[in-house]
Amino acid sequence: MYVAVKGGETAIANAHAFQAEQRRGDAAQAPLTLGQIEQQLGLAVDRVMGEGALYDRGLAALAIKQARGDLVEAAFLVRAYRTTLPRFGYSLPVDTARMTVLRRVSATYKDLPGGQVLGPTFDYSHRMLDFALAADAGEGGGGEAPGAPLAEAPLDPAMPHVTALLDSEGLIQPEPPAEPDAPPPGDITRDPLLFPAPRDLRLQSLARGDEGFLLALGYSVQRGYGGSHPFVGEIRQGPVAVEIVPEELGFAIDIGDIDLTECEMVNQFKGSRLRPPQFTRGYGLVFGWSERKAMAMSLVDRALRAGELGEERRGPAQDEEFVLYHADNVEGAGFVTHLKLPHYVDFQSELELIRRLRAEAEARLARASAEERAAADAFATAAV
Amino acid sequence: MDTLPARPATDPGYNFGYLDEQTKRMIRRALLKAVAIPGYQVPFGSREMPLPYGWGTGGIQITASIIGPADTLKVIDQGADDTTNAVSIRRFFARVAGVATTERTAVATIIQTRHRIPERPLSAGQILVYQVPQPEPLRQLEPREAEARKMHALADYGLMHVKLYEDIARFGRIATSYNYPVMVNGRYLMAPSPIPAFDNPKMHRMAALQLFGAGREKRIYAVPPHTEVQSLDFDDHPFKVWRADRCCDLCGAPDSYLDEVVTDDKGGRMFVCSDTDHCAERRGAGHRGPLAGHALQEIAEGKS
Amino acid sequence: MSAAEPILSVRGLSRRFGAIAAVREVSFDLWPGEVMGVVGESGSGKTTLLHLVSGSLRPDAGTVLFRDRQGAMQDIQAMSEPARRMLARTDWGIVHQNPRDGLRMNVSAGANVGERLMAVGARHYGNIRGAAEDWLARVEMDLGRIDDLPRTFSGGMQQRLQIARTLVTHPRLVFMDEPTGGLDVSVQARLLDLIRNLVAVLGLSAIIVTHDLAVTRLLAHRLMVMQRGQVVETGLTDQVLDDPQHPYTQLLVSSVLAA
């Protein structure tokens, strides 16, 4: 009996069982624990938290394990779970000036109040595979590095933002202070993004946007598709306190710390008919230790401000609909992969159409050549 | 032959219909607005669902917001109940809402669909929920969302006819075969989702409520029962419906939309109803197509 | 409506950009069937004036009144956006210096001409096609190219197509911004000839902004000379060009003669 290629429930269940088996891999290997993922693949966890838009290291580690290390799939798992979570309220804005800084670098000043703090970084490491790490952890400790030495003196607790230093001279465009009657920032996880999008919504979209996409756009800005001349004013990383004001208390309470990476990019601006020359800002803020993404984000944020600064839009990074509609990898991955779903009804209608158009075109051609032959015959007859 | 047992137990870890009640309320508000302004795309706070964007999240969110324990749900993809994504979505609702599911168009109260409208005319009280990949009919002509919204606001739709003009100039006919744009209630230009143009006339003054959900693009729109839905055309090139010039090889239906099935690599073809329930119902009533029965058996076994 | 009443009446139009007064206190009337040239160097405010009068830019002060087909004077600023858009695709026409700004480069020549008809409700393919053919013929284009894309055309041909697209709805007022700018001299001459004939045959009212005095000599009945956002001299074209009164106009005229 003829059966069209259609998947029954059994086929789907079997496919998922097969995937679970592949995920586990060789049973002779010890299974990964969430603690191992959280501790030893911390930057993967950070990326999944950022793009999954949920700060929970344990859930991110679970998602990474379930997704077999596919971080885009893991971010999707976290997002889908996030949908089901109740919302208790909004925190106060986090104050990154009060961050417990573990890393802080500025490219614009050799030294500055609070100093340069290198912190944990891949920078200046030679990217040579470290075969000591390949040794099995079970046999002789696995060649793991000993702990890092402690600094001789604690860091200066005062770590002013570099942009605040420029601000005091009036050299950098001030961030507009929140007006008392201004509406609270929007929330792209509750309301659809509409265009033109204000900066709060742009920053939210970028903060959970795909790192690869932002990296490419930021790179394009540097190569001339958007004409920016950026300097890293400052990158800072470390834990920041999150505070909420419960209605019944009426004052702020600290509910814990989250690790953040913040990047403030200082950009040249030559001025326009409307504004004197001044430095302008690009801003990046990402969950966890995600320096590359925070930097790319700050480049793209600045590029998207072309409109308000009266700059000509020349590159894709300056086009807010292009950037914001395509930055989300959960949306993008879904829509790209949906092409493997059956489309045979639309395809059938296209088939019918193409066949009809071809038949008509061939009929026209045949008619034309018949007319041509007739004309040639008539000419020949006349000539005789 | 329903594939699922009626009313399975719901997953206790999730709210009825997966979405929380606040989200459902938000979506219902958007639906009310959409019904009040037929064909207008209402932005809504689309949520991430446990199925990927582009795989029916808009339709799923609508269904999740309107479904109740007494509903009977049918899910089709390409007209068929047994395609993998339809099975997956039906299973999802069986799991998170515990509702009865069916493959029979006649008894379903909610039908979620991708790319088809069932052949059997729908009746008052039924709701047809479309999964929509791209809600904006002007998108290919005007990629800017802000500009497209302005064109809708001003009913500035000349550009859409420019596209049809170009088709006729090049091909001698309008060369759009699916997702064929329609005017709703004489006011809003609307994408009917990628249903074949064959299905467009069924939308016109349909007795059932038609709801459209685009999850990734975060838009909901609607056609209330008995609303006028006209396919765009020119006076001298009127809209025409096309289908394969055949009858169904299984049930003999001369007027249903047909899938073309390749049976071998020597040009062998058969044509069968894309609406599997329609086909099964006709065969149940004794209708037979040319390849039903023995002839069909032979094709499957590679003989003849 | 009698010719004794202006079709366009502009009063006290001003617009600043930051510290720069781009247009200062400009007033004038345009009469039915009249072609007015606005001349001046780049930066004199003539293009800004065109944007203000055609409603694509809001003035800081001043009014623009347009006489509609019923004879009533409509305040352009006070009109709703839909009404202004409708006006822009029926009674008004804009010919841009760069045809790319006035054409859809990705649809055929015929569709470019037909679009304005379809935008105001034409729904008969044969009639739309006929009108497109008629207008391509009137701007002396090869009908065999009706289905070709504008980007396959030369600059002069693109400009002809833009004019056909603009005139197909029989506008009563046409704005032209350097319509022959960027074209070769011989192409310019033929295009100017075409524009002059069409304007005369159709009885169009028009405002032509140009830095080229030769263009105004050919097309304009009346001339308005602008310098630093202000009108410094007005008068009949021949009178202004042959006997300029204002030192700036004298400079403009003499520099043309010297060139």
Side-chain angles (χ1 to χ4, degrees):
Chain A
M1 185 63 193
Y2 159 76
V3 180
V5 184
K6 288 164 180 174
E9 294 205 39
T10 319
I12 295 176
N14 289 343
H16 294 166
F18 198 178
Q19 174 72 298
E21 184 186 310
Q22 293 281 306
R23 182 190 60 70
R24 177 61 183 84
D26 185 349
Q29 296 288 334
L32 267 176
T33 68
L34 297 192
Q36 286 171 340
I37 294 171
E38 200 188 316
Q39 292 299 313
Q40 299 177 38
L41 299 177
L43 298 185
V45 168
D46 286 344
R47 181 169 178 191
V48 170
M49 290 196 305
E51 291 168 18
L54 183 68
Y55 197 99
D56 187 314
R57 304 193 71 81
L59 287 178
L62 171 59
I64 290 168
K65 179 172 178 172
Q66 186 179 333
R68 301 174 62 189
D70 178 338
L71 300 188
V72 174
E73 175 74 15
F76 175 26
L77 286 169
V78 169
R79 288 265 194 102
Y81 181 72
R82 187 187 192 284
T83 294
T84 68
L85 297 175
R87 171 160 308 224
F88 298 122
Y90 292 86
S91 74
L92 296 176
V94 292
D95 184 359
T96 53
R98 286 165 50 207
M99 175 185 279
T100 308
V101 167
L102 299 180
R103 171 169 164 80
R104 185 247 204 154
V105 291
S106 169
T108 50
Y109 292 104
K110 184 173 182 188
D111 202 0
L112 64 165
Q116 305 262 15
V117 182
L118 215 44
T121 178
F122 292 122
D123 295 349
Y124 317 114
S125 71
H126 299 140
R127 268 57 167 213
M128 299 157 76
L129 283 176
D130 179 359
F131 293 102
L133 290 177
D136 195 320
E139 298 160 17
E144 295 285 355
L150 273 179
E152 286 163 12
L155 289 173
D156 191 339
M159 289 265 186
H161 278 110
V162 167
T163 46
L165 304 176
L166 287 167
D167 211 2
S168 61
E169 263 190 272
L171 291 178
I172 192 160
Q173 188 198 22
E175 293 293 8
E179 298 187 14
D181 54 346
D187 182 348
I188 57 164
T189 70
R190 300 278 114 177
D191 302 307
L193 193 59
L194 299 178
F195 292 94
R199 191 160 175 229
D200 50 343
L201 300 185
R202 297 199 303 251
L203 287 169
Q204 287 174 27
S205 302
L206 296 178
R208 60 182 213 163
D210 182 75
E211 176 176 327
F213 180 72
L214 295 186
L215 178 65
L217 283 177
Y219 180 40
S220 75
V221 167
Q222 284 179 281
R223 288 194 65 258
Y225 289 86
S228 91
H229 302 274
F231 302 94
V232 170
E234 179 174 340
I235 295 165
R236 56 171 64 198
Q237 297 181 294
V240 181
V242 178
E243 295 177 324
I244 60 165
V245 180
E247 249 176 67
E248 56 273 40
L249 289 184
F251 55 85
I253 55 167
D254 185 333
I255 57 167
D257 287 353
I258 59 174
D259 282 358
L260 289 177
T261 302
E262 180 186 57
C263 175
E264 289 197 281
M265 204 66 85
V266 177
N267 285 262
Q268 194 188 87
F269 176 59
K270 293 204 178 75
S272 67
R273 267 212 296 206
L274 306 179
R275 292 168 187 274
Q278 204 171 31
F279 288 115
T280 55
R281 306 169 198 243
Y283 188 71
L285 186 72
V286 190
F287 282 163
W289 290 68
S290 309
E291 189 172 278
R292 186 170 46 227
K293 177 167 167 187
M295 293 179 74
M297 174 176 169
S298 63
L299 289 172
V300 177
D301 168 50
R302 173 60 185 77
L304 288 176
R305 301 179 70 190
E308 70 192 76
L309 294 168
E311 294 171 326
E312 190 193 353
R313 289 197 177 91
R314 288 180 298 146
Q318 294 169 304
D319 181 331
E320 69 169 18
E321 284 202 22
F322 179 82
V323 172
L324 302 184
Y325 266 135
H326 303 120
D328 193 284
N329 59 21
V330 176
E331 290 174 10
F335 201 48
V336 166
T337 61
H338 107 284
L339 289 174
K340 66 192 160 188
L341 289 180
H343 282 79
Y344 47 76
V345 164
D346 338 1
F347 186 70
Q348 185 67 35
S349 58
E350 285 291 275
L351 259 181
E352 293 292 334
L353 178 70
I354 295 275
R355 283 178 182 146
R356 221 156 46 229
L357 293 179
R358 284 179 64 88
E360 284 166 3
E362 273 160 25
R364 264 200 308 276
L365 286 176
R367 225 174 17 248
S369 67
E371 277 166 19
E372 222 167 80
R373 269 199 310 279
D377 288 350
F379 180 75
T381 313
V384 170
Chain B
M1 50 153 220
D2 291 4
T3 50
L4 288 165
R7 298 189 201 293
T10 52
D11 191 322
Y14 294 97
N15 191 33
F16 180 85
Y18 190 77
L19 295 172
D20 62 277
E21 294 303 314
Q22 274 72 22
T23 300
K24 287 187 195 170
R25 192 183 308 160
M26 175 272 294
I27 292 173
R28 288 180 198 135
R29 283 196 187 118
L31 286 170
L32 287 175
K33 184 168 179 180
V35 168
I37 317 172
Y40 171 73
Q41 299 168 49
V42 183
F44 80 111
S46 178
R47 303 291 194 253
E48 278 91 358
M49 297 301 283
L51 280 77
Y53 279 128
W55 297 53
T57 52
I60 291 169
Q61 288 181 76
I62 289 180
T63 300
S65 302
I66 60 172
I67 202 164
D71 274 309
T72 303
L73 176 69
K74 170 182 166 84
V75 183
I76 52 174
D77 188 338
Q78 316 294 302
D81 298 86
D82 51 358
T83 40
T84 37
N85 206 41
V87 170
S88 162
I89 292 171
R90 199 165 49 227
R91 256 172 29 129
F92 173 72
F93 280 109
R95 181 173 169 187
V96 299
V99 295
T101 59
T102 184
E103 296 189 358
R104 290 182 53 212
T105 303
V107 302
T109 55
I110 299 173
I111 302 171
Q112 180 168 329
T113 180
R114 178 169 171 263
H115 296 190
R116 274 312 310 275
I117 297 175
E119 304 290 358
R120 163 191 280 275
L122 300 183
S123 52
Q126 288 185 302
I127 300 177
L128 185 59
V129 178
Y130 296 76
Q131 300 171 200
V132 181
Q134 178 49 262
E136 180 49 71
L138 299 166
R139 179 62 67 241
Q140 292 302 321
L141 304 166
E142 175 51 69
R144 315 266 122 202
E145 174 65 16
E147 180 59 22
R149 283 185 76 79
K150 193 183 267 184
M151 290 163 79
H152 283 295
L154 303 174
D156 186 358
Y157 295 137
L159 194 56
M160 200 71 228
H161 270 91
V162 167
K163 198 256 170 208
L164 302 185
Y165 168 98
E166 291 283 82
D167 275 1
I168 299 173
R170 274 179 72 189
F171 306 115
R173 66 165 71 249
I174 295 171
T176 299
S177 64
Y178 64 96
N179 207 357
Y180 191 108
V182 294
M183 278 300 279
V184 177
N185 205 25
R187 174 59 182 85
Y188 280 99
L189 183 71
M190 187 186 94
S193 88
I195 57 172
F198 174 86
D199 282 341
N200 273 23
K202 296 178 188 161
M203 307 179 82
H204 180 56
R205 301 200 189 286
M206 185 191 277
L209 170 62
Q210 303 175 71
L211 302 176
F212 299 79
R216 190 179 41 79
E217 297 280 343
K218 302 168 181 58
R219 297 289 186 275
I220 280 173
Y221 51 103
V223 176
H226 308 293
T227 303
E228 188 183 338
V229 178
Q230 294 297 342
S231 302
L232 289 197
D233 59 5
F234 285 106
D235 298 344
D236 49 343
H237 285 265
F239 172 78
K240 269 194 214 124
V241 155
W242 298 90
R243 62 185 285 280
D245 192 15
R246 309 278 292 252
C247 64
C248 172
D249 282 327
L250 296 182
C251 76
D255 52 1
S256 65
Y257 192 77
L258 299 175
D259 286 342
E260 179 174 338
V261 181
V262 179
T263 50
D264 57 37
D265 57 0
K266 300 174 195 70
R269 296 273 191 282
M270 66 182 288
F271 288 81
V272 296
C273 290
S274 110
D275 183 337
T276 47
D277 173 59
H278 181 69
C279 198
E281 196 169 79
R282 282 180 52 84
R283 276 178 283 145
H287 296 282
R288 285 287 176 274
L291 296 181
H294 291 300
L296 193 67
Q297 184 75 36
E298 284 164 13
I299 282 185
E301 290 166 7
K303 293 178 198 163
S304 91
Chain C
M1 181 174 61
S2 86
E5 292 176 304
I7 187 169
L8 190 74
S9 187
V10 174
R11 290 292 175 273
L13 218 49
S14 296
R15 170 73 194 220
R16 303 181 73 85
F17 292 110
I20 301 153
V23 168
R24 277 189 281 180
E25 288 286 320
V26 173
S27 301
F28 66 90
D29 287 323
L30 185 73
W31 305 86
E34 185 183 36
V35 178
M36 183 156 75
V38 182
V39 296
E41 299 164 298
S42 72
S44 60
K46 57 190 193 306
T47 297
T48 302
L49 178 65
L50 196 70
H51 287 304
L52 292 172
V53 173
S54 63
S56 62
L57 196 65
R58 290 194 81 84
D60 297 328
T63 55
V64 178
L65 300 179
F66 172 70
R67 188 172 303 282
D68 65 21
R69 285 183 195 228
Q70 284 70 44
M73 288 305 255
Q74 299 283 352
D75 183 341
I76 299 305
Q77 304 307 323
M79 285 173 87
S80 67
E81 168 95 17
R84 201 156 47 221
R85 275 206 179 195
M86 182 52 91
L87 197 63
R89 60 196 190 203
T90 53
D91 266 5
W92 289 5
I94 299 180
V95 177
H96 299 266
Q97 172 175 6
N98 185 346
R100 285 170 182 276
D101 296 334
L103 293 175
R104 276 192 199 283
M105 301 306 282
N106 57 350
V107 302
S108 69
N112 262 288
V113 180
E115 180 178 358
R116 270 170 73 101
L117 294 173
M118 291 183 260
V120 295
R123 293 294 180 262
H124 189 285
Y125 174 82
N127 293 349
I128 295 164
R129 181 95 176 163
E133 285 172 348
D134 178 41
W135 273 98
L136 290 185
R138 291 177 83 160
V139 297
E140 296 161 16
M141 285 181 68
D142 177 4
L143 285 191
R145 304 204 57 185
I146 188 169
D147 294 326
D148 292 349
L149 295 180
R151 67 175 136 81
T152 64
F153 294 170
S154 68
M157 291 277 276
Q158 287 180 359
Q159 202 55 294
R160 282 165 192 269
L161 180 60
Q162 193 192 180
I163 289 166
R165 172 183 162 94
T166 305
L167 297 185
V168 67
T169 53
H170 300 284
R172 293 159 56 229
L173 174 60
V174 178
F175 302 101
M176 300 192 198
D177 186 4
E178 306 274 9
T180 59
L183 297 175
D184 291 343
V185 177
S186 62
V187 177
Q188 259 191 36
R190 287 182 54 202
L191 190 63
L192 282 173
D193 206 37
L194 176 78
I195 294 174
R196 188 167 59 165
N197 285 334
L198 285 173
V199 166
V201 168
L202 300 169
L204 291 175
S205 310
I207 296 178
I208 297 179
V209 160
T210 180
H211 68 282
D212 187 344
L213 295 183
V215 168
T216 59
R217 172 86 82 180
L218 261 172
L219 295 181
H221 304 121
R222 201 149 56 98
L223 220 53
M224 208 157 79
V225 183
M226 287 189 74
Q227 182 193 23
R228 289 199 286 272
Q230 280 179 306
V231 175
V232 295
E233 184 164 358
T234 59
L236 296 175
T237 304
D238 290 343
Q239 184 190 321
V240 172
L241 294 184
D242 296 341
D243 184 18
Q245 300 298 308
H246 192 275
Y248 177 70
T249 316
Q250 290 165 356
L251 193 72
L252 276 184
V253 172
S254 67
S255 65
V256 170
L257 294 177

